[in-house]
Amino acid sequence: MSHSLHHQFLRFAAVGASGTLVQYAVLWTGVTVFGVDAAAAASGLGYILGSVVNYVLNYFFTFKSDKGHGEAAAKYFSLLAVGWCINTGLMWFFVHEQGWHVWLAQVLATGIGLVWNFAGSRWWAFKPAGTAK
């Protein structure tokens, strides 16, 4: 990983921590109020709410994007829609099909989502116009 890529990934992960905090708070609330049967739905709702926070911070801080919000947001939220499906599907599979503890499942789903979202954000959603990389 190049020096620039490394620092950008660290910024992305730091920004992602804020969205993850939102997601985990919604998951905790959903499971506490509605029980483990609500784990996938609560995690999915938290993912959506956290993604709004992450878009703003990634646009201005992580990638310092020069794209218009129309293009950047459309690409970013399309990327995250796929990420949401990955997260929610993994939560359903690990918790309901495999019987894993909710938090173990969520930590693994978060790690997979981190890699997916960073790669897509860097090389597609916030990629500067006219760059080959």
Side-chain angles (χ1 to χ4, degrees), residues 3-4 9 11 21 26 45 58-59 61 69 74 78 81-82 111 113 117 119 133:
H3 185 70
S4 173
F9 180 79
R11 285 192 304 268
L21 181 62
V26 173
L45 176 60
N58 280 320
Y59 184 90
F61 175 67
H69 284 291
S78 294
V82 175
N117 291 337
K133 287 186 178 181

Side-chain angles (χ1 to χ4, degrees), residues 13-27:
V15 164
S18 64
T20 299
L21 181 62
V22 170
Q23 181 182 17
Y24 283 26
V26 173
L27 173 62

Side-chain angles (χ1 to χ4, degrees), residues 18-52 54 80-96 101-113 117:
S18 64
T20 299
L21 181 62
V22 170
Q23 181 182 17
Y24 283 26
V26 173
L27 173 62
W28 179 81
T29 302
V31 170
T32 300
V33 173
F34 299 106
V36 75
D37 288 340
S43 176
L45 176 60
Y47 185 99
I48 291 167
L49 296 174
S51 73
V52 174
N54 285 351
L80 264 58
V82 175
W84 180 87
C85 292
I86 292 168
N87 175 82
T88 306
L90 287 172
M91 285 298 290
W92 179 263
F93 177 74
F94 291 141
V95 173
H96 298 288
H101 189 275
V102 168
W103 293 107
L104 175 61
Q106 186 63 75
V107 167
L108 181 58
T110 298
I112 292 168
N117 291 337

